[in-house]
Amino acid sequence: MSVLINDIEVVKTETSKINDIDFDNLKFGQVYSDHMLVCDYENGAWKAPKVMPYQNISLEPSAKIFHYGQSVFEGMKAYKDADGGVWLFRPMENFNRLNISSKRLAIPEIPEAYFLDGLKTLLEVDQDWIPQKEGSSLYIRPFVFASGTGLHASPANAYKFIICTAPSGSYFSGKVKVLIETKYSRSANGGVGYAKAGGNYAGQFYPTQLAIDKGYQQVIWTDDTSHEYIEEAGAMNVFIRINDTLITSPTSDRILDGITRKSLIDLARSKGINVEVRKIKVSELVEAAENGSLKELFGAGTAAVISPIAGFGYQGKDYELPELKETYASSLKKAITDIQTNKAEDPFGWRYKVL
């Protein structure tokens, strides 16, 4: 049956899968809720979005996504508080970054109302899929790709914007060991590193697998020319604590402007933590590990929020981080997740009420 919600057409599924899902044992991003939002770009304009049952997509083999990789995405979460209220965290940051990424890949930008009202409608329809268990959330994946056909190396003339959602538990458990990469690069000056382009992640898989084969779980990326400077940790921004100072690299053509990253910077400063946004050399990290001033190393991103790093490898030598009773990572993670789940005051105005 087709209905209108927030002026958006909604076609509801005839049979929900929700009763077949074990919400107490959710793996990240492997179970999908009943509906998705779909919006098509044709003849020079975005058509009205529509919420429909989650389903397969049919594309021609000549669709340009398969040949030239025009694809960008975002990662968000919806949270349900103890009273059943539904919240998003800084959704306009995701909307703006999706369009920044789209522009870089010559993809038409999405209208704000289609993104925000479409997402709100989808969450209203699938609100029962938002878990309330501690550490769980509804992961939201907005993405845009070239559906137009043709083998000529040029931008497509048709695109699809889709939002699908997945009830998920924690992304990571425990600390990880990383290898500092000195050969392969995630991105380069003038490239697309600052965009959430699918190809950025595809290019990480091979070097990461090489690190896994050596006994590490992830890599820390360094700059593309000298490999002297630390940039990102896997698919996350990276933070380094030396003594009582928290350091993170500045954003650039090569480094994603992470929403969790910028939120953690503001949160840390509000707690009186000294934060430095500057370039940091691998040699400075190694020296701090050797003299005992390196206290913490962690990645930050939407999926994991904060992922502590237990140790790192560099040029054939491993360095272990100390086991601390109280860490910036745990304090900041609790602070940000308490805001996200409506357990604490939000002095920054980050929380966005949906229902």
Side-chain angles (χ1 to χ4, degrees):
M1 182 179 68
S2 177
V3 297
L4 283 178
I5 300 177
N6 300 325
D7 295 326
I8 292 175
E9 183 182 0
V10 175
V11 180
K12 292 189 177 182
T13 183
E14 294 181 1
T15 307
S16 175
K17 309 183 297 285
I18 197 165
N19 293 328
D20 299 328
I21 306 304
D22 182 0
F23 278 83
D24 291 325
N25 295 285
L26 290 169
K27 293 184 178 180
F28 182 84
Q30 294 189 15
V31 174
Y32 306 99
S33 50
D34 283 330
H35 299 88
M36 64 184 188
L37 179 95
V38 179
C39 185
D40 288 302
Y41 182 91
E42 297 172 348
N43 300 318
W46 286 103
K47 309 304 180 185
K50 182 177 180 179
V51 172
M52 62 180 65
Y54 183 87
Q55 59 192 268
N56 291 342
I57 302 168
S58 179
L59 294 171
E60 291 189 34
S62 56
K64 288 199 172 186
I65 177 58
F66 301 132
H67 305 277
Y68 303 113
Q70 275 184 290
S71 174
V72 297
F73 70 95
E74 275 297 320
M76 310 170 64
K77 289 179 179 178
Y79 308 87
K80 187 176 286 184
D81 64 24
D83 298 322
V86 176
W87 303 87
L88 293 169
F89 184 74
R90 308 189 75 174
M92 289 304 296
E93 294 285 343
N94 293 100
F95 165 71
N96 290 330
R97 191 172 63 184
L98 182 67
N99 277 340
I100 289 170
S101 299
S102 294
K103 185 175 181 179
R104 180 61 181 83
L105 271 73
I107 295 172
E109 296 179 33
I110 303 290
E112 180 181 326
Y114 286 10
F115 180 93
L116 200 56
D117 292 345
L119 177 54
K120 287 164 63 178
T121 303
L122 180 62
L123 294 176
E124 186 172 343
V125 172
D126 276 347
Q127 59 185 287
D128 291 342
W129 284 86
I130 306 172
Q132 286 182 284
K133 184 179 179 181
E134 188 76 23
S136 297
S137 60
L138 185 72
Y139 186 77
I140 301 167
R141 173 53 59 87
F143 60 104
V144 192
F145 64 91
S147 56
T149 60
L151 300 182
H152 186 269
S154 61
N157 61 2
Y159 298 85
K160 277 189 179 293
F161 167 50
I162 296 176
I163 304 179
C164 60
T165 64
S168 299
S170 298
Y171 189 65
F172 289 121
S173 59
K175 294 184 178 182
V176 298
K177 186 178 176 184
V178 300
L179 178 67
I180 295 180
E181 181 57 56
T182 57
K183 177 181 178 181
Y184 297 99
S185 298
R186 177 187 171 275
S187 58
N189 286 331
V192 296
Y194 68 91
K196 282 189 76 71
N200 288 348
Y201 298 80
Q204 295 182 31
F205 295 156
Y206 176 67
T208 301
Q209 186 58 53
L210 295 179
I212 291 171
D213 292 343
K214 295 177 182 178
Y216 302 90
Q217 286 77 49
Q218 264 297 353
V219 300
I220 285 184
W221 302 103
T222 52
D223 68 282
D224 62 308
T225 50
S226 67
H227 293 289
E228 290 183 88
Y229 293 93
I230 289 170
E231 299 211 325
E232 292 196 357
M236 298 181 289
N237 296 115
V238 63
F239 284 82
I240 299 160
R241 177 185 171 187
I242 296 179
N243 291 319
D244 292 331
T245 296
L246 200 58
I247 307 166
T248 191
S249 301
T251 56
S252 67
D253 284 353
R254 303 184 307 276
I255 299 177
L256 186 72
D257 186 14
I259 296 163
T260 305
R261 170 192 174 275
K262 65 177 69 177
S263 302
L264 290 176
I265 291 171
D266 289 344
L267 264 176
R269 286 173 172 162
S270 74
K271 289 176 170 288
I273 296 171
N274 183 41
V275 180
E276 294 181 0
V277 179
R278 63 172 175 85
K279 290 184 175 182
I280 180 167
K281 285 188 173 183
V282 176
S283 58
E284 184 179 352
L285 179 70
V286 170
E287 181 182 355
E290 290 177 339
N291 66 28
S293 60
L294 179 62
K295 305 300 182 185
E296 294 182 69
L297 187 61
F298 57 86
T302 299
V305 185
I306 288 178
S307 182
I309 296 170
F312 67 91
Y314 180 63
Q315 293 185 342
K317 184 176 180 179
D318 285 337
Y319 300 85
E320 301 296 323
L321 274 83
E323 291 282 346
L324 304 178
K325 289 184 178 180
E326 296 182 1
T327 64
Y328 287 174
S330 59
S331 172
L332 291 171
K333 183 173 184 177
K334 184 179 187 307
I336 196 170
T337 54
D338 281 355
I339 290 174
Q340 290 169 335
T341 55
N342 197 29
K343 292 180 180 177
E345 293 296 320
D346 177 15
F348 305 97
W350 292 336
R351 200 164 48 223
Y352 181 91
K353 183 71 180 287
V354 177
L355 295 168

